[in-house]
Amino acid sequence: MTIVANKPEPIIYELSAPGRTGAALPACDVPQAKLPAHLMRADLELPEVSEVDVVRHYTRLSQKNYCVDLGIYPLGSCTMKYNPKLNEEAVKLPGFTAVHPYQSEDDTQGALQLLHELQTMLGEICGLPGVTLQPAAGAQGELAGILIIRAYHEARKDHKRVKVIIPDSAHGTNPATSAMTGFQVVQVKSDARGNIDLDELRKLADDTTVGLMITNPNTLGLFEENICEAAQIIHAAGGLVYGDGANLNAIVGLARPGDLGIDVLHSNLHKTFSVPHGGGGPGAGAVMVRADLAPFLPGPIVAKKGKRYALTMPRKSIGRVKSFYGNFLALVRAYVYIRSFGKEHLHEIAENAVLNANYLLARLKNVYSAPFANRVCKHEFVLTGTPFAEQFGVHTLDIAKRIQDYGFYPPTIYFPLIVPECIMIEPTETQSKESLDEFADALLKIAEEAKTNPQLVKDAPHTAPITRLDDVQAARNPVLRYRG
Ligand SMILES: *Cc1c(COP(=O)(O)O)cnc(C)c1O
């Protein structure tokens, strides 16, 4: 299959016809009131359209978007797995949708029980018994976690600690979090195997160290082989170890971060535990801590007193980081996901996520260059497009754009920063072998095209309604309104 330039059909916006309407109202049988002139605007040219015009317009727009319900969404680090419809059935239950945070505890025992059970399950999964469900995103969980670590040092009157050590492969939110908390960020290099460099770490860790922020498996998709030793080095220097558990996909049910020496961890429930995410929608970044740090947790958290569930504020809490107890319906979805596997089967998530990633890596590594192909990857892996860039002038961005022509969402690109022309692929466990093969076939075909017809790849996408955006302008000066 060679897809060449098919001029994409234009998106039609101008559907208005004078006098057309979507509602037929009965004749007015009361005196018409004059509306206040200062509230009236003559410049609002509202479209005059019928109901079917509106439905078709929005349905047409929705079909321009790719979604995880259509196919593989291999966005490394973002964990775009399929979100089971069972979760949606659960959150539609009236007891969940109609509950209000100002209702009394007596009225909301069921909702509080669910939150309490979720806290307990996450504590067990992570091996860190103190849990707050408050943060609304991974980045907010990180901030809460680092504030907890700051409060811990302050409570010990240990005021000279100012630096947070972060590996060079880290997600950008890690240094941002540390800087926002007022700490200095010190980078530690990765070694040739993709692990944190222990000799470097030993040189950096001292009595000014707040702690280490570490992602495991790291963003290269590799298990940090020296995680326990790294934790020992930090603990010996009096610091704490913060785990970025945005993606627990590779280890859930198999390894517990608490057992690996991590003291504080956040987990993106909207990644590992299948809550729809992206586009800034409601997320959930629960934070788990070892028992002696639980008094610092942001609250309220749910405690069980006898048979009754109650909201409590931990004794030395850093305060609230979000209203009430977090994004409740996101938490319900995560709860349903965990319960639908059950304790006995939770590890299958990790096993299949890792198997799928290794299968894809095996299919691609001889054609795309894989910097760490000598190691088993975890839930994701990185490739580099450098050979294509050097030989044919085809860059990773071009390859990612070309993937769209084959009907797939592109992987994460140019991250982590330490791999040039990086392509970062995370298939997740919810892909069949067939869908992995289709995706691999497309990437192998594109590698062939890069050699034989590089311009075809450089001009991609040829089939998308919008081709190449100016990413920088789009982020800095977004145009969010349509003007006809
Ligand atoms: C997604 C992610 C984050 C940030 O999570 P948000 O919910 O987007 O704020 C942090 N670290 C890693 C490794 C991630 O993949």
Side-chain angles (χ1 to χ4, degrees), residues 217-228:
N218 62 27
T219 60
L220 300 167
L222 303 172
F223 193 87
E224 280 289 350
E225 292 165 310
N226 307 319
I227 179 86
C228 295

Side-chain angles (χ1 to χ4, degrees), residues 77 137-139 142 171 173 215 244 246-247 266 268 270-271:
S77 202
E142 283 177 39
H171 195 270
T173 49
T215 311
D244 180 335
N247 317 276
H266 85 269
N268 288 23
H270 49 283
K271 290 179 182 170

